[in-house]
Amino acid sequence: MNQILSVTGAFKKYGAVTALRGANLSVNAGEVHAICGDNGAGKSTLIKLIAGVETPDAGTIEVRGTPVSFGDPQDALAAGIATIHQDLGLAPAMAIYQNIYLGSELSVRLAGIRVLQKRAMMRGAREILAKMNSVMTDMTKPVEALSGGQRQAVAIARALRWNAEIIIMDEPTAALGVRETKEVVRLINELRNRGATVLLISHNMADVIAVADRATILKGGRAVTSLSLDGVSADALAKMIMDGADDIEEA
Amino acid sequence: MKQLVAKYGTALSGLALFVVFLLFARNFASPANLLTVLKQASFLAIFACGFTFALLTSELDLSFASIASLAAVMVGWLLHSDTSWLIAVAAGLAVGTIGGLLNGLLVTAIKVPSLIATLGTASIATGTAFMVTGGVAFVGRWDASFLALARGKVLGIPFLIIIMFAIVAISWFVTRLTPLGVHMQATGEAEGAAHRAGIATKRMKLLGLTLSGAAAGAAAVLLVANLSSAAPQMAGDFLLNAIAAVLLGMTMFDPGRPNIAGSFVGALILAILANGLVLFGAPYYLQDIMLGVIVIGSVGVSASVLKKAAFSV
């Protein structure tokens, strides 16, 4: 498998707190890679570095073997990395299609003035959602009227429209019920089927086991292990997270 | 059905009100009176368009009326010191635009909340207007070409009304049909999400407040041309009236959201109401009371419409 993203020796300090102390991460193209760890292990800091929200104090990030340095999330996006935050980053009162095209609306120049192509955007939005097997008929519906799973689908559709190859999903199932969670797991599987690489941060071990191919476990700002999740149970994974490095060799 | 009522209920009520006045208010239906109503609505609508732009980006502009008064006395002062009317008009527009830009910079660069920033600039503008005039009004002889801005007619329609329609149409076009309009709306509704999607949210807020000032400048020029006088607090009454028009507008067409079509119809309804009440012989204080009820009622209605919309679609 070829590596699409790697982080080597990442350090990050916030004042007196050292969030990351030499964390490593290696993600293969086309896999769903979970980042696990207890609170304070450094998961969200590591993700922030990859998403371009923060810059590392030391360490390197490589995308497809090329070292990158992100000043802001737009840089990360240009490198093909999109982040779906826990709050999804959607405008609740705006329409589905407006959210999918937010900030990169389709328009045509008429006498020098950019005019929106609403029909084309609605059609495009419907197509992207259909590729995810997510059926929504009325593209003018506000996002706040959708279910949690559907909202997640809209956020993913936007990431896909940005041509992101690596999609970071931060706690996508945290606030969802059983049915909604199933829908999100299905969406993540769809993403993998389409060849996208997914970085998944989740506290829910059952979700991680259900959908991820591999996991990297963080503890105290360091990656203690990376392992394939084939045949690993949720309980075993939870134990590894709590025990940290102790069981690496056996795992 | 519910959706139709939510979208068009207010506009239809306004139409009903108009018909009642046509039938029962003496002289309301005379062409001269209808023209007066439309002229009054024109000033309101221009101010309201500006306020709509600011509110669309989720910023309040409480200074537009004071800035308009300052722009008006600037126009009066220049015309009375024998400056060309073109320069006076340009100066009036510039005072409005610069005032709005200043508001925008206070809000985006110095991070003063718009409620406070515009209250402050309103007071500064009022003070400056008194300074320019020494407290008196500019009246007397005015350049005929200047007065024609408001009073001149094309095919029997006053310029004032044509200019108002042009401003409303352009504003509607920008907010509904251009990426800029969507970006302003997204900035107002979900600033964080809009910013993360690459929208220059600060610039949108700056633009919203600047346009509010620019509209106030335009309205001021037309006010002076229409009344052939310029006084330091001449636009004061438009503050709450224009805000009421915008809030009333938020109960129409795109419920819960500032929208130009709504602001325009809101301005029409308020002008009709004010005129009709006078013709019905209603006491002068009733207007203020009605205005307060409309401001509070509109916000109440659009808030509840918004809540329902979220769950019923």
Side-chain angles (χ1 to χ4, degrees):
Chain A
M1 270 237 177
N2 58 330
Q3 175 179 278
I4 192 167
L5 171 76
S6 75
V7 179
T8 318
F11 269 86
K12 182 72 188 175
K13 267 180 124 171
Y14 297 101
V17 181
T18 305
L20 290 178
R21 12 181 132 238
N24 299 322
L25 176 70
S26 169
V27 179
N28 295 325
E31 72 176 358
V32 177
H33 193 116
I35 296 180
C36 306
D38 214 341
N39 289 335
K43 298 189 301 285
S44 51
T45 306
L46 181 60
I47 287 308
K48 279 179 185 161
L49 301 186
I50 300 167
V53 177
E54 307 266 8
T55 46
D57 298 331
T60 52
I61 301 172
E62 290 181 15
V63 178
R64 289 173 219 88
T66 315
V68 291
S69 155
F70 301 144
D72 61 42
Q74 299 303 315
D75 292 346
L77 205 54
I81 302 174
T83 308
I84 300 172
H85 295 273
Q86 206 172 339
D87 70 1
L88 302 183
L90 300 172
M94 293 176 75
I96 295 171
Y97 83 92
Q98 287 179 316
N99 269 286
I100 290 177
Y101 284 89
L102 193 66
S104 58
E105 293 81 6
L106 299 182
S107 64
V108 59
R109 263 184 199 286
L110 287 180
I113 300 163
R114 285 179 61 199
V115 179
L116 292 170
Q117 294 178 293
K118 292 190 186 183
R119 275 167 200 275
M121 284 192 276
M122 285 188 217
R123 200 168 47 230
R126 203 172 287 122
E127 276 168 17
I128 302 170
L129 288 169
K131 280 181 196 161
M132 307 285 306
N133 283 320
S134 199
V135 182
M136 294 174 222
T137 43
D138 183 4
M139 289 296 115
T140 62
K141 230 186 212 184
V143 164
E144 63 196 354
L146 302 177
S147 71
Q150 287 176 317
R151 288 179 205 197
Q152 195 76 234
V154 172
I156 292 172
R158 179 159 62 167
L160 290 178
R161 216 193 85 66
W162 285 335
N163 290 319
E165 294 181 288
I166 303 171
I167 297 174
I168 301 172
M169 299 178 79
D170 189 4
E171 296 285 359
T173 58
L176 301 183
V178 177
R179 237 178 69 200
E180 305 283 290
T181 299
K182 254 191 161 161
E183 170 66 3
V184 172
V185 167
R186 185 189 72 74
L187 288 169
I188 295 173
N189 279 320
E190 290 282 351
L191 278 174
R192 176 177 29 214
N193 294 343
R194 288 171 49 80
T197 306
V198 179
L199 260 181
L200 174 70
I201 297 100
S202 180
H203 268 103
N204 187 323
M205 290 311 126
D207 295 351
V208 170
I209 294 295
V211 75
D213 303 303
R214 289 205 304 145
T216 292
I217 297 175
L218 295 181
K219 185 160 191 169
R222 256 183 287 255
V224 289
T225 182
S226 259
L227 71 163
S228 161
L229 293 178
D230 270 350
V232 177
S233 72
D235 287 343
L237 185 61
K239 189 173 182 318
M240 278 182 241
I241 290 168
M242 285 186 293
D243 298 348
D246 308 350
D247 296 334
I248 300 174
E249 268 59 57
E250 290 84 350
Chain B
M1 180 64 199
K2 258 187 186 171
Q3 279 223 319
L4 284 181
V5 173
K7 277 189 169 181
Y8 304 109
T10 312
L12 290 175
S13 313
L15 189 64
L17 185 76
F18 181 64
V19 172
V20 167
F21 283 155
L22 275 182
L23 295 176
F24 301 112
R26 199 191 294 178
N27 290 333
F28 182 82
S30 78
N33 186 61
L34 289 178
L35 197 64
T36 307
V37 171
L38 200 52
K39 275 189 157 185
Q40 194 60 21
S42 295
F43 295 117
L44 257 185
I46 294 170
F47 281 118
C49 276
F51 188 78
T52 306
F53 273 113
L55 197 59
L56 196 58
T57 67
S58 204
E59 297 299 341
L60 280 174
D61 181 2
L62 299 183
S63 69
F64 63 83
S66 302
I67 287 177
S69 297
L70 175 62
V73 294
M74 192 62 83
V75 173
W77 178 65
L78 286 172
L79 283 173
H80 276 75
S81 44
D82 288 329
T83 314
S84 142
W85 68 273
L86 280 170
I87 292 175
V89 168
L93 296 176
V95 166
T97 309
I98 293 167
L101 186 68
L102 187 69
N103 283 333
L105 289 174
L106 286 173
V107 170
T108 57
I110 311 182
K111 296 191 168 56
V112 184
S114 56
L115 177 77
I116 303 299
T118 58
L119 265 181
T121 49
S123 186
I124 293 170
T126 302
T128 312
F130 276 104
M131 187 176 78
V132 169
T133 59
V136 294
F138 292 104
V139 287
R141 287 199 298 149
W142 299 77
D143 191 313
S145 328
F146 173 73
L147 297 180
L149 275 180
R151 303 178 187 181
K153 287 181 181 173
V154 179
L155 303 172
I157 307 165
F159 270 149
L160 166 63
I161 291 165
I162 295 171
I163 294 171
M164 178 273 289
F165 273 117
I167 291 175
V168 169
I170 293 169
S171 303
W172 181 85
F173 177 85
V174 169
T175 52
R176 298 291 302 178
L177 299 180
T178 70
L180 183 67
V182 176
H183 293 177
M184 292 180 85
Q185 184 189 329
T187 299
E189 289 188 1
E191 192 180 351
H195 182 70
R196 275 190 254 152
I199 293 171
T201 51
K202 276 189 175 179
R203 211 180 304 161
M204 292 303 124
K205 286 174 179 281
L206 185 67
L207 182 66
L209 285 163
T210 304
L211 286 175
S212 186
V221 169
L222 293 167
L223 266 176
V224 175
N226 189 54
L227 296 173
S228 33
S229 76
Q233 277 189 315
M234 70 186 299
D237 278 352
F238 284 102
L239 179 63
L240 196 55
N241 274 288
I243 293 175
V246 174
L247 296 178
L248 197 56
M250 285 175 69
T251 67
M252 295 179 248
F253 309 132
D254 197 355
R257 189 176 280 159
N259 67 90
I260 295 290
S263 299
F264 169 65
V265 175
L268 275 181
I269 292 176
L270 286 175
I272 289 167
L273 192 64
N275 183 275
L277 283 178
V278 170
L279 293 181
F280 260 135
Y284 68 95
Y285 48 79
L286 193 62
Q287 238 185 62
D288 284 331
I289 295 174
M290 292 284 290
L291 202 57
V293 170
I294 287 172
V295 165
I296 297 167
S298 315
V299 174
V301 167
S302 49
S304 74
V305 165
L306 213 57
K307 260 181 234 147
K308 272 184 213 142
F311 296 107
S312 75
V313 184

